[in-house]
Amino acid sequence: MSDTHAESVAYVRDTMLPETPPPAAETGVTKWMKQNLFATIPNSVLTVAAIVVIYFLLAATLPWILNGIWNATSIRECREILEGATGGCFAVLSDRWNQLLFGFKYPSTEYWRPALAFLLLFVAAAPVMFFKYLPRQLLLFTGVYPFLAFWLIWGGSIVPPLLLLLGFVAAYVAFKALEKRGFGVAALGGLGVLIVAIILAGSIGKIEVLRLEQVQSRDMGGFMLNMILGTVCVSLSIPIGIALALGRQSDMPIIKWICVVFIEFIRGVPLITLLFVANVVLAYFLPPGTTFDLIIRVIIMITAFASAYIAEVIRGGLAALPRGQYEAGDSLGLDYAQAMRLIILPQALKISIPGIVNVAVGLFKDTTLVSVISMFDLVGMIRGPILASTDWNGVYWELFGFAALLFFVVCYGVSQYSQWLERELNTDHR
Amino acid sequence: MTTLTDPPQESFRPSMLLNDTRYRSYTFQFIALIVLISIIAYLGYNLVLNLRAAGLNISYEFLGEPAGYDINQTLVEYTSRSSHLTAAIVGILNTLLVAFLACATATIFGVIAGVLRLSNNWLVRKLMAGYVEAFRNVPVLIWIIIIFTIMTAVLPAPRAFRGEDADASMILGSIAFTNRGVYVPMPIWGPGSMVVVVTFILSIVGVFAYRAYAKKLLFDTGKLLPMGWPSLAILFVPSILMFFIMGQPISLDYPELGGFNFSGGLQIGAPLIALWFALSIYTGAFIAENVRAGILAVSKGQTEAAASLGLRPRRIMNLVILPQALRVIIPPLISQYLNITKNSSLAIAVGYADITATLGGITLNQTGRAIECVLLLMLFYLLISLGISAVMNVYNNAVRLKER
Amino acid sequence: MAETAQMQVSDEIAIRIENMNKWYGTFHVLRDIDLSVHRGERIVIAGPSGSGKSTLIRCINALEEHQKGRIEVDGTVLSSDIKNIDKIRSEVGMVFQHFNLFPHLTILENCTLAPIWVRKIPKRQAEETAMHFLEKVKIPEQADKYPGQLSGGQQQRVAIARSLCMKPRIMLFDEPTSALDPEMIKEVLDTMVSLAEEGMTMLCVTHEMGFARQVANRVIFMDQGQIVEQNEPEEFFNNPKSDRTKLFLSQILGH
């Protein structure tokens, strides 16, 4: 024992300690439950309360869903089959799915067209949504998609949308050719070519090639109408929103105030008043005798609505950029259009993507408001033709549950995508 | 003798309108102004032509004419012989009523759900996440209609409460949920009730005074008085005492079943309940996310710094976390209030007589004065929005962190 | 080395500033500035913060507008004509305190952006030039990375290369080392020194007095928006004339 020096501080370990498992109570399910469910007494009370809530939710819905009737022709038949037991009458969905999805006027032989357009939407959106992982060439299809979808959904000859597409291509080529001479010249050149193309498309567009049965705008309905309004208005509102945001950031007071008044006005009123404008007021401001489809008037107003919100999101993105970026662009001799296009907007838009997606989701949900001005979107179809029919009068839960589910799937999916993208961009070379 | 050598004053050339920084911005603004004026002129010209063709003019005289329709839920006196203007005022008050109620309850839902989402209880966290996602991702219109449907199609009719062996019964014998709305007891303000009310208001002031005194005592002497129980006592005891001293002036008028319907009590219509509840629970989901983000925005370092100073968890929450989190939470909270006000316009879908349903709905349809009605409607919402933005600016300026 | 540097200065005037004044609102930032810079000359501008030295060099490429007086760069008088401003900016390179690289573009793209869009040089050729200058600032291997992946010193060297790619005849440096960690200052200063040795006309706002001694032909001391003293570096440091200069030098060299 004499070689033990209690007062000595020097110490050398000669054998390393092996790794040992923690005490038994601290592992596995027990530990997890103790930490996450029953850590303290109030916590345990909360857990029990949560279990009760979940029990009641399941007790109310599960038998209703599992016991559901999928095969019947009316609510009375459902009730006969159920004989008083709890169960949903999902037969209304199998009976009226076509009306819920496509409205009640779209010709049933042509359902494959909007369905195909819907599927192709994913193909078209993918290169934009996953721009890092997919080859840029796929963007070509994204460019073609609007014209293809228009032809598929509205039908008619393929010539007008094709000519319009060619017009856009020609305008792009003209823009690229003139770009080195300055943005203004190039934009004017591109616009000129586009106008010529539109006039051409109008004059020789009568040629009947690959004709599909034509469907009028007012015959669009169901969830398809929500999808059309959502995608069209969001796509149109992004460029307008960018222009408004740049205008609001401008140091030219008149341009700035025009944008401020527009944005704040739109943001200050509910969408429904704008839909009233589309429904009953807009016609007064158009040349006498013009008859616009209601759907086009609605698209105009919803686009205006969405652009104001998107402009504010993008303004936030612009404001987040340090002044140095503008100065660096200036000091290299870039002009305003070049600095914006090459330096400022790519960065500002990237910051704004989550905000833009939020606006898009909100807008998509708001497309249900068109049912208030008696358009037959998904909600309009349910409240109108379906619930009013003698067969299905009283089948509330199944129908609204179905509508809620459809919207949930789309909106939840998109917002999950947005969160994924946000994480992706955060780790992005920074 | 100094010679000014300013940039050479060139004579004006037209190309300078585009290339000279001094004139360039005027050129663009002038073009923008011309375009704007032409658009307005074009729209105005069309308007004049259309109005002439329809034999109409812009006039607000219709506001003075009798409305000729009934409104089931009104806060001020209104009959079908009242003017359209009165109908609009009824609508405005109804909008403000539902917006106010929904803001209050949405805040409660949102704060509870937001805090619970950060709970260390796994099950509660998941449950709240489910609530937030389910309500955020489904259109509010669908929620309004679903809840309205529960109110009207699922709840029993008043006559179900009749008889010895009734199908439905009143909760606590005083509240009845029926498909015509909810009947609750209505307080009757007897003589002397004002004294009780004033006492209660004074008690609220008293609570603040007591807390200020306790704080002062702490700062001056370091002595800490208890805060919780004394506050509660000051709030309620004097009012209850006064209630009995004045001889119980406030009584409740209970709803009673007479014939096929309830009489007495206060009837809250199904549309109001549906709208109120749907807006609160929908917006509550958004507020929950704001609350969660606000609390998460206060960095963990703040908690650690406070804990290392020896503060206890409750004090850390009250003195360090909340003041900072509120700065982050309140601005989006105010814009959620604005959203509630704007979304309350969906009342028209369930027949609640708010301003959109009266002025923008029935009045518009009856008089055909589309432009005037929609204009007034937008003006009302704009004023509300501007008011709320003003409040928000005042708040933002007041709490802005003092930074270099 | 100072002597060899002296010899490269030509008689040609690169920048001539006459009686220039600038106000921010009512605040008089620059007062009666007169300054001529010869081609090949290296000038260091020093002074306390808020003395207007950054504003002075930012006026030269019109990042700030001056209200009175005359600025002539390479024979072009700075006016409010946009083409005129763009011409001067493409002749004058600028390096900022906070680098101001474009974070969404790679190093190579940062360097080729302006040559392609402003000088209209074909992409291939612009990339060759860019690689040449990246080699010169000794980071060609980083060409495909993004600015965020580089250290501060590397970023600042890229910023110098980015300016050089425009083949400027004059370089302006606005406190290029102030935002850098001490161990990175040297690599940036080395780059600037080698640039000076090649005879580039340079105006540097900097607190690096060692750099001033080594490469400057002239040191300018500014205070309260005015040029207080200018002299050759030896004289300036060893024998300052003005009291303000003495105070300033004692403060920055005092420890």
PDB file of all heavy atoms in Angstrom, chain A residues 21-41:
ATOM      1  N   PRO A  21     -23.815  -1.365 -21.015  1.00  0.00           N
ATOM      2  CA  PRO A  21     -25.179  -0.900 -21.284  1.00  0.00           C
ATOM      3  C   PRO A  21     -25.710  -0.113 -20.095  1.00  0.00           C
ATOM      4  O   PRO A  21     -25.266  -0.325 -18.964  1.00  0.00           O
ATOM      5  CB  PRO A  21     -25.958  -2.199 -21.483  1.00  0.00           C
ATOM      6  CG  PRO A  21     -25.182  -3.232 -20.740  1.00  0.00           C
ATOM      7  CD  PRO A  21     -23.756  -2.815 -20.787  1.00  0.00           C
ATOM      8  N   PRO A  22     -26.657   0.810 -20.336  1.00  0.00           N
ATOM      9  CA  PRO A  22     -27.225   1.570 -19.223  1.00  0.00           C
ATOM     10  C   PRO A  22     -28.103   0.665 -18.369  1.00  0.00           C
ATOM     11  O   PRO A  22     -28.476  -0.425 -18.790  1.00  0.00           O
ATOM     12  CB  PRO A  22     -28.049   2.640 -19.920  1.00  0.00           C
ATOM     13  CG  PRO A  22     -28.377   2.071 -21.243  1.00  0.00           C
ATOM     14  CD  PRO A  22     -27.237   1.181 -21.605  1.00  0.00           C
ATOM     15  N   PRO A  23     -28.478   1.101 -17.125  1.00  0.00           N
ATOM     16  CA  PRO A  23     -29.347   0.307 -16.268  1.00  0.00           C
ATOM     17  C   PRO A  23     -30.640  -0.068 -16.976  1.00  0.00           C
ATOM     18  O   PRO A  23     -31.154   0.714 -17.790  1.00  0.00           O
ATOM     19  CB  PRO A  23     -29.622   1.234 -15.083  1.00  0.00           C
ATOM     20  CG  PRO A  23     -28.538   2.241 -15.110  1.00  0.00           C
ATOM     21  CD  PRO A  23     -28.049   2.334 -16.500  1.00  0.00           C
ATOM     22  N   ALA A  24     -31.175  -1.220 -16.634  1.00  0.00           N
ATOM     23  CA  ALA A  24     -32.275  -1.805 -17.396  1.00  0.00           C
ATOM     24  C   ALA A  24     -33.474  -0.881 -17.521  1.00  0.00           C
ATOM     25  O   ALA A  24     -34.083  -0.792 -18.578  1.00  0.00           O
ATOM     26  CB  ALA A  24     -32.700  -3.115 -16.744  1.00  0.00           C
ATOM     27  N   ALA A  25     -33.819  -0.161 -16.447  1.00  0.00           N
ATOM     28  CA  ALA A  25     -35.018   0.676 -16.475  1.00  0.00           C
ATOM     29  C   ALA A  25     -34.903   1.814 -17.499  1.00  0.00           C
ATOM     30  O   ALA A  25     -35.876   2.438 -17.858  1.00  0.00           O
ATOM     31  CB  ALA A  25     -35.278   1.251 -15.093  1.00  0.00           C
ATOM     32  N   GLU A  26     -33.653   2.087 -17.926  1.00  0.00           N
ATOM     33  CA  GLU A  26     -33.445   3.264 -18.764  1.00  0.00           C
ATOM     34  C   GLU A  26     -33.391   2.939 -20.250  1.00  0.00           C
ATOM     35  O   GLU A  26     -32.895   3.719 -21.024  1.00  0.00           O
ATOM     36  CB  GLU A  26     -32.145   3.955 -18.345  1.00  0.00           C
ATOM     37  CG  GLU A  26     -32.195   4.544 -16.951  1.00  0.00           C
ATOM     38  CD  GLU A  26     -33.328   5.532 -16.784  1.00  0.00           C
ATOM     39  OE1 GLU A  26     -33.417   6.447 -17.625  1.00  0.00           O
ATOM     40  OE2 GLU A  26     -34.123   5.376 -15.851  1.00  0.00           O
ATOM     41  N   THR A  27     -33.836   1.761 -20.656  1.00  0.00           N
ATOM     42  CA  THR A  27     -33.782   1.472 -22.090  1.00  0.00           C
ATOM     43  C   THR A  27     -35.161   1.127 -22.621  1.00  0.00           C
ATOM     44  O   THR A  27     -36.115   0.919 -21.875  1.00  0.00           O
ATOM     45  CB  THR A  27     -32.879   0.251 -22.392  1.00  0.00           C
ATOM     46  OG1 THR A  27     -33.340  -0.814 -21.585  1.00  0.00           O
ATOM     47  CG2 THR A  27     -31.434   0.559 -22.123  1.00  0.00           C
ATOM     48  N   GLY A  28     -35.228   1.085 -23.927  1.00  0.00           N
ATOM     49  CA  GLY A  28     -36.379   0.513 -24.628  1.00  0.00           C
ATOM     50  C   GLY A  28     -37.691   1.230 -24.374  1.00  0.00           C
ATOM     51  O   GLY A  28     -37.731   2.418 -24.063  1.00  0.00           O
ATOM     52  N   VAL A  29     -38.742   0.469 -24.513  1.00  0.00           N
ATOM     53  CA  VAL A  29     -40.096   1.016 -24.469  1.00  0.00           C
ATOM     54  C   VAL A  29     -40.373   1.674 -23.121  1.00  0.00           C
ATOM     55  O   VAL A  29     -40.954   2.758 -23.059  1.00  0.00           O
ATOM     56  CB  VAL A  29     -41.124  -0.107 -24.725  1.00  0.00           C
ATOM     57  CG1 VAL A  29     -42.522   0.455 -24.768  1.00  0.00           C
ATOM     58  CG2 VAL A  29     -40.783  -0.835 -26.007  1.00  0.00           C
ATOM     59  N   THR A  30     -39.960   1.029 -22.051  1.00  0.00           N
ATOM     60  CA  THR A  30     -40.241   1.572 -20.727  1.00  0.00           C
ATOM     61  C   THR A  30     -39.685   2.982 -20.601  1.00  0.00           C
ATOM     62  O   THR A  30     -40.385   3.914 -20.195  1.00  0.00           O
ATOM     63  CB  THR A  30     -39.572   0.707 -19.634  1.00  0.00           C
ATOM     64  OG1 THR A  30     -39.314  -0.568 -20.195  1.00  0.00           O
ATOM     65  CG2 THR A  30     -40.421   0.648 -18.414  1.00  0.00           C
ATOM     66  N   LYS A  31     -38.424   3.129 -20.978  1.00  0.00           N
ATOM     67  CA  LYS A  31     -37.793   4.438 -20.847  1.00  0.00           C
ATOM     68  C   LYS A  31     -38.522   5.457 -21.720  1.00  0.00           C
ATOM     69  O   LYS A  31     -38.835   6.564 -21.294  1.00  0.00           O
ATOM     70  CB  LYS A  31     -36.332   4.332 -21.264  1.00  0.00           C
ATOM     71  CG  LYS A  31     -35.605   5.651 -21.130  1.00  0.00           C
ATOM     72  CD  LYS A  31     -34.279   5.625 -21.856  1.00  0.00           C
ATOM     73  CE  LYS A  31     -33.637   6.990 -21.834  1.00  0.00           C
ATOM     74  NZ  LYS A  31     -32.539   7.079 -22.775  1.00  0.00           N
ATOM     75  N   TRP A  32     -38.807   5.019 -22.940  1.00  0.00           N
ATOM     76  CA  TRP A  32     -39.447   5.941 -23.869  1.00  0.00           C
ATOM     77  C   TRP A  32     -40.792   6.410 -23.320  1.00  0.00           C
ATOM     78  O   TRP A  32     -41.101   7.599 -23.312  1.00  0.00           O
ATOM     79  CB  TRP A  32     -39.637   5.239 -25.219  1.00  0.00           C
ATOM     80  CG  TRP A  32     -40.184   6.154 -26.263  1.00  0.00           C
ATOM     81  CD1 TRP A  32     -39.456   6.972 -27.081  1.00  0.00           C
ATOM     82  CD2 TRP A  32     -41.555   6.375 -26.571  1.00  0.00           C
ATOM     83  NE1 TRP A  32     -40.290   7.685 -27.883  1.00  0.00           N
ATOM     84  CE2 TRP A  32     -41.586   7.348 -27.594  1.00  0.00           C
ATOM     85  CE3 TRP A  32     -42.751   5.860 -26.088  1.00  0.00           C
ATOM     86  CZ2 TRP A  32     -42.775   7.805 -28.132  1.00  0.00           C
ATOM     87  CZ3 TRP A  32     -43.937   6.323 -26.629  1.00  0.00           C
ATOM     88  CH2 TRP A  32     -43.939   7.275 -27.648  1.00  0.00           C
ATOM     89  N   MET A  33     -41.571   5.427 -22.802  1.00  0.00           N
ATOM     90  CA  MET A  33     -42.888   5.807 -22.289  1.00  0.00           C
ATOM     91  C   MET A  33     -42.761   6.680 -21.065  1.00  0.00           C
ATOM     92  O   MET A  33     -43.509   7.642 -20.888  1.00  0.00           O
ATOM     93  CB  MET A  33     -43.701   4.552 -21.967  1.00  0.00           C
ATOM     94  CG  MET A  33     -44.221   3.918 -23.244  1.00  0.00           C
ATOM     95  SD  MET A  33     -45.328   2.549 -23.034  1.00  0.00           S
ATOM     96  CE  MET A  33     -46.491   3.091 -21.858  1.00  0.00           C
ATOM     97  N   LYS A  34     -41.787   6.362 -20.243  1.00  0.00           N
ATOM     98  CA  LYS A  34     -41.619   7.153 -19.030  1.00  0.00           C
ATOM     99  C   LYS A  34     -41.246   8.592 -19.388  1.00  0.00           C
ATOM    100  O   LYS A  34     -41.750   9.545 -18.807  1.00  0.00           O
ATOM    101  CB  LYS A  34     -40.534   6.519 -18.160  1.00  0.00           C
ATOM    102  CG  LYS A  34     -40.645   6.940 -16.719  1.00  0.00           C
ATOM    103  CD  LYS A  34     -39.635   6.216 -15.854  1.00  0.00           C
ATOM    104  CE  LYS A  34     -39.446   6.976 -14.560  1.00  0.00           C
ATOM    105  NZ  LYS A  34     -38.224   6.590 -13.882  1.00  0.00           N
ATOM    106  N   GLN A  35     -40.383   8.726 -20.384  1.00  0.00           N
ATOM    107  CA  GLN A  35     -39.942  10.075 -20.746  1.00  0.00           C
ATOM    108  C   GLN A  35     -41.000  10.842 -21.512  1.00  0.00           C
ATOM    109  O   GLN A  35     -41.180  12.037 -21.311  1.00  0.00           O
ATOM    110  CB  GLN A  35     -38.691   9.984 -21.604  1.00  0.00           C
ATOM    111  CG  GLN A  35     -37.431   9.868 -20.784  1.00  0.00           C
ATOM    112  CD  GLN A  35     -36.209  10.017 -21.645  1.00  0.00           C
ATOM    113  OE1 GLN A  35     -36.295   9.947 -22.868  1.00  0.00           O
ATOM    114  NE2 GLN A  35     -35.078  10.222 -21.014  1.00  0.00           N
ATOM    115  N   ASN A  36     -41.690  10.152 -22.410  1.00  0.00           N
ATOM    116  CA  ASN A  36     -42.553  10.864 -23.337  1.00  0.00           C
ATOM    117  C   ASN A  36     -44.021  10.883 -22.957  1.00  0.00           C
ATOM    118  O   ASN A  36     -44.780  11.681 -23.474  1.00  0.00           O
ATOM    119  CB  ASN A  36     -42.415  10.271 -24.739  1.00  0.00           C
ATOM    120  CG  ASN A  36     -41.067  10.563 -25.331  1.00  0.00           C
ATOM    121  OD1 ASN A  36     -40.729  11.708 -25.568  1.00  0.00           O
ATOM    122  ND2 ASN A  36     -40.278   9.520 -25.517  1.00  0.00           N
ATOM    123  N   LEU A  37     -44.436   9.983 -22.083  1.00  0.00           N
ATOM    124  CA  LEU A  37     -45.858   9.946 -21.753  1.00  0.00           C
ATOM    125  C   LEU A  37     -46.145  10.184 -20.275  1.00  0.00           C
ATOM    126  O   LEU A  37     -47.139  10.793 -19.918  1.00  0.00           O
ATOM    127  CB  LEU A  37     -46.468   8.606 -22.178  1.00  0.00           C
ATOM    128  CG  LEU A  37     -46.444   8.314 -23.669  1.00  0.00           C
ATOM    129  CD1 LEU A  37     -47.023   6.942 -23.944  1.00  0.00           C
ATOM    130  CD2 LEU A  37     -47.215   9.366 -24.446  1.00  0.00           C
ATOM    131  N   PHE A  38     -45.271   9.694 -19.402  1.00  0.00           N
ATOM    132  CA  PHE A  38     -45.598   9.759 -17.970  1.00  0.00           C
ATOM    133  C   PHE A  38     -44.472  10.400 -17.161  1.00  0.00           C
ATOM    134  O   PHE A  38     -44.143   9.959 -16.074  1.00  0.00           O
ATOM    135  CB  PHE A  38     -45.895   8.344 -17.432  1.00  0.00           C
ATOM    136  CG  PHE A  38     -46.978   7.661 -18.214  1.00  0.00           C
ATOM    137  CD1 PHE A  38     -46.679   6.676 -19.144  1.00  0.00           C
ATOM    138  CD2 PHE A  38     -48.303   8.033 -18.033  1.00  0.00           C
ATOM    139  CE1 PHE A  38     -47.687   6.065 -19.873  1.00  0.00           C
ATOM    140  CE2 PHE A  38     -49.306   7.418 -18.755  1.00  0.00           C
ATOM    141  CZ  PHE A  38     -49.004   6.439 -19.679  1.00  0.00           C
ATOM    142  N   ALA A  39     -43.893  11.462 -17.713  1.00  0.00           N
ATOM    143  CA  ALA A  39     -42.740  12.070 -17.049  1.00  0.00           C
ATOM    144  C   ALA A  39     -43.124  12.658 -15.699  1.00  0.00           C
ATOM    145  O   ALA A  39     -42.438  12.471 -14.700  1.00  0.00           O
ATOM    146  CB  ALA A  39     -42.134  13.143 -17.950  1.00  0.00           C
ATOM    147  N   THR A  40     -44.245  13.397 -15.660  1.00  0.00           N
ATOM    148  CA  THR A  40     -44.704  13.982 -14.402  1.00  0.00           C
ATOM    149  C   THR A  40     -46.175  13.659 -14.237  1.00  0.00           C
ATOM    150  O   THR A  40     -46.799  13.109 -15.154  1.00  0.00           O
ATOM    151  CB  THR A  40     -44.535  15.507 -14.423  1.00  0.00           C
ATOM    152  OG1 THR A  40     -45.285  16.009 -15.532  1.00  0.00           O
ATOM    153  CG2 THR A  40     -43.085  15.911 -14.550  1.00  0.00           C
ATOM    154  N   ILE A  41     -46.738  14.026 -13.092  1.00  0.00           N
ATOM    155  CA  ILE A  41     -48.159  13.719 -12.883  1.00  0.00           C
ATOM    156  C   ILE A  41     -49.063  14.476 -13.859  1.00  0.00           C
ATOM    157  O   ILE A  41     -49.910  13.875 -14.518  1.00  0.00           O
ATOM    158  CB  ILE A  41     -48.553  13.977 -11.422  1.00  0.00           C
ATOM    159  CG1 ILE A  41     -47.825  12.953 -10.539  1.00  0.00           C
ATOM    160  CG2 ILE A  41     -50.063  13.858 -11.226  1.00  0.00           C
ATOM    161  CD1 ILE A  41     -47.959  13.216  -9.071  1.00  0.00           C
TER     162      ILE A  41
END
